[in-house]
Structure formats: C-alpha cells, structure tokens
Amino acid sequence: MQELQQLTQLRQVRQVRARAVLDLLAVEQMPTWAAHALARGLDCASLREVAGMDGHDPRQVRAVFHAALDELGAPALDEEQARWEMARVWARAIVEGSVRPYEGARRIWWGAASPLGLPDALVDFVALASEWEDAPAHRAAYEQDIVQAAQQLLTSDG
C-alpha cells in the first residue's frame, strides 16, 4: 500500500513539473500547490519554503518550487518531455472519466500533438476531435474511439 502511495505521489510530482515547465501552473498557484502537497504528506525543506511564500518575487518562487520538485524526486523535463507527460495525463483523465473524451482529445491536440509536430502516437486524437466537431450525429462513436486511443497511449511507449 505504501509503495502504491509513493508511486502516486511521484506521478503527481512529475505531472506538476510538466505543468510548470509548460506554464500550465502559474507562479501564483505554486505556493498553494506546495501547501496542499504538504497536507498530503509530501515534505522537504524547499516545499515548506514555497508554501510560505507570498509570490512577490515570481523568479524566486519558481526557482524554489523547482528545487522542491528536485528534492521530491521529480525528473527534470524539457518542453518535449513535458508535452508527452501532459498527453499521458490527459489520456489518463479520459480513461478515468474525469474529463470528457472530446475535451481530453482537444487538450492533447493543442497541448501536445500540434506542438510536437503531430507524432503518430497522438495523431488519432487530432483526427477524432476534428471529426467530433464536424459530425455531431457520430459523437458517441468518436468518444468511444477517443477512450480507446487514450487507453492505447497509456499502454504504449509513445
């Protein structure tokens, strides 16, 4: 059980690193995220420091936030790696049902597939979201196909 909790926490830390790299997590949100992470049991000196920051110096907040992620074991991610990570995050949300299939496919389309040059592993999301927009009578089928594409992405090395 503890191992599963550690894996979940590592996934969350990796995900927040990706969000920060892509500016999907605003500097103003970093102290709040840090405080919530502390409440969930994550802990390190830099995380405590970020949680207490007021955000008046955005560069300092960002630097200490990334130091906290380093201390928590989050791997360094470049922009490409962060986009792939977010594609998997959005795919997981589609599969788990926490985001509607079209919305998740649209996020993958604009947040990962297009900026990455439409890699084969993500091109189905672009096609299916586009078809969903163009053919309202077939949306239920496209949504099922989007869920299948998300499942496939999560089980591939893509």
Side-chain angles (χ1 to χ4, degrees), residues 34-110:
H36 287 230
L38 287 166
R40 287 190 315 269
L42 294 174
D43 192 20
C44 67
S46 295
L47 191 63
R48 283 183 253 125
E49 185 177 349
V50 173
M53 294 178 127
D54 60 15
H56 281 51
D57 184 352
R59 282 183 286 221
Q60 181 68 11
V61 172
R62 187 177 302 281
V64 177
F65 186 78
H66 281 282
L69 296 178
D70 290 342
E71 289 176 39
L72 293 170
L77 300 174
D78 62 24
E79 182 180 337
E80 180 178 345
Q81 293 167 321
R83 290 196 185 282
W84 278 106
E85 178 66 20
M86 291 310 301
R88 287 185 288 276
V89 166
W90 293 320
R92 192 172 300 107
I94 291 168
V95 170
E96 292 173 352
S98 61
V99 67
R100 295 181 59 138
Y102 165 73
E103 181 59 30
R106 195 178 65 74
R107 289 179 187 178
I108 292 170
W109 177 0
W110 293 107

Side-chain angles (χ1 to χ4, degrees), residues 14 77-89 91-92 108 112-113 116 118-125 149-158:
R14 182 181 171 94
L77 300 174
D78 62 24
E79 182 180 337
E80 180 178 345
Q81 293 167 321
R83 290 196 185 282
W84 278 106
E85 178 66 20
M86 291 310 301
R88 287 185 288 276
V89 166
R92 192 172 300 107
I108 292 170
L116 291 170
L118 300 175
D120 290 343
L122 302 179
V123 76
D124 284 349
F125 294 99
Q151 290 168 331
Q152 183 176 349
L153 179 63
L154 293 173
T155 59
S156 73
D157 292 334

Side-chain angles (χ1 to χ4, degrees), residues 112-152:
S114 287
L116 291 170
L118 300 175
D120 290 343
L122 302 179
V123 76
D124 284 349
F125 294 99
V126 176
L128 291 166
S130 180
E131 291 296 326
W132 186 96
E133 292 171 353
D134 294 339
H138 302 287
R139 286 182 174 169
Y142 292 130
E143 288 176 357
Q144 290 175 352
D145 291 344
I146 291 168
V147 172
Q148 288 178 334
Q151 290 168 331
Q152 183 176 349

Side-chain angles (χ1 to χ4, degrees), residues 12-31:
Q12 291 171 346
V13 172
R14 182 181 171 94
Q15 175 184 330
V16 81
R17 169 86 80 188
R19 291 180 64 212
V21 166
L22 298 173
D23 292 325
L24 299 174
L25 180 69
V27 173
E28 299 81 21
Q29 296 171 310
M30 291 176 180

